Amino acid sequence: MGKKVLTWRLGAVLAAVWLALSLPAFALKADYREVLPNGVTVLVSQTLASPTVSLNIFVKVGSFEEDSDINGISHFYEHLFFRGTPRWPGYEFKRRLEALGGSTNAETTRDMTHFYVNLPKENFKSALAMMADAYINAELQPEAIDQERKAVLEEYNIGMDNPQRLVYDRLSALAYGQGHPYSVSVIGTESNIRRFQRADFQRFREVFYTPDRTVIAIVGDVVPQDIMPAVRQEFGTFTRSSGRALRRAAKIASPGQPVDDVMYKNIKNSVLLLGFPGPSVHDKPDIYRLDVATFLLGIGRGSIINKEVVDKEIALSAGVDFLTQRFSGLILLYAVAPDDKIAGARQALLAAAEKLKRGEISERDLRRAKNFLRGNFQLGNEKNAGKAESLGFYAALGEEKFPADYCEQLEAVTVQDVQEAACKYFTDGYYAVTMKREQQPEQKRRSRLDDYDGMGRRRTPGSRWF
């Protein structure tokens, strides 16, 4: 369901359920849609809740478009977006945008890069001009590149100390394999981060920051007919002909039997991650059924995993994550437990999935799941920023209508649907990575992935995995 890996705030459960019960069916869709002559898609939704506007720009490029020699460039380029244009050089750009009352940020994922600014409605056109200038003409000065390089390297190093990040990256490489767009990390490799220069970013922009890859989502106290002339002026005139079609990827299939790998790090408790090949955002109705199934299995105090794994003290923490993506995602079951309990935690996770496959859920459980999911969806799209992000996110994934009928589709899910989805996706074939406490060098066994680099290529002697 989520636009990112699902991170459920348990403190919001009661509020979400109350909202779901008290509000009518919620449909999120744009009031106005236009594709500019150059190919830019514009979505506008008028809301009168506050005199503010959220301007969001999505570009359909992330790590899924990157080859080994440019892995990490999408994320690095994101850092340079707010670092000035020829018209507003250096930090003057950010200062002027903030002076308009603008709150800005950006993020890069596998599937896309997202930039946004939220600000008072009276300053919208000024911010629009600045954001368009940055999108089309970012300055990319060597000094700014070197400064942001330090920030990106710091992010990289923090990730190298994060067990969950390392286990997830290893699982992705194991599950997706060589050549799949999702097999590499978004942040890239240290060598690439250190190597990228201005010419690399200029080439990257010419190839990927093209009109046909651009989605603009605007939500707030604006009238579409009033703002569209300015949008056409700012975004409708740039052309880049060096773009290329979106990369395609085949679905990943179940391996037929468990595929295991083990990592070692100086950690207190072991970390286990199980990955089951799942659906993409295009796979309907499975995507709705799986939202309900994963909630019942491992999200919240009332979930099967919490009752059967955490409450019984088999693991310190455990649950489920699922990422909605353009291509097939991984349904993740995770557990953190002492070394001597991690094997038991794995069996308990699998046993919990089996309960779901046997249909051991009630109509009351189903209603609880629907109420929470619907309430969470509504709360996430309560503000202008949330609405704009949802509209642009799903449009960039090629599923523009997804948020319009999500609640309706969710309501149609039955207990049998949940059971069928569980049986389809929680199979005997899955990928597993366990991170254990660091052992002495002579005690370590080799990982099945130690012969391959981060891009899935066979390593040369002496090279390192990370």
Side-chain angles (χ1 to χ4, degrees), residues 134-149:
Y135 189 74
I136 301 168
N137 306 306
E139 198 171 26
L140 306 176
Q141 286 298 327
E143 180 183 357
I145 292 172
D146 288 339
Q147 289 174 344
E148 292 303 322
R149 193 189 316 278

Side-chain angles (χ1 to χ4, degrees), residues 74-104:
S74 300
H75 173 258
F76 200 147
Y77 189 95
E78 171 218 311
H79 276 248
L80 299 170
F81 182 88
F82 296 107
R83 290 303 306 269
T85 70
R87 184 177 179 184
W88 296 288
Y91 286 116
E92 181 184 354
F93 179 89
K94 192 71 178 291
R95 285 195 293 266
R96 281 180 173 266
L97 202 54
E98 290 174 346
L100 296 174
S103 172
T104 64

Side-chain angles (χ1 to χ4, degrees), residues 1 8 13 16-21 288-289 291-293 295-296 361-378 406-418:
M1 167 195 168
W8 298 93
V13 172
V17 172
W18 175 86
L19 183 66
L21 291 172
Y288 312 111
R289 296 171 177 178
D291 272 359
V292 178
F295 174 83
L296 292 171
I361 55 174
S362 65
E363 289 291 340
R364 182 178 180 182
D365 292 328
L366 183 67
R367 175 48 54 195
R368 177 172 58 87
K370 290 180 180 181
N371 285 343
F372 181 92
L373 292 168
R374 187 170 66 249
N376 190 75
F377 180 79
Q378 291 171 286
Y406 177 77
C407 292
E408 179 182 349
Q409 295 292 338
L410 197 69
E411 191 60 34
V413 175
T414 66
V415 169
Q416 183 177 350
D417 291 334
V418 172

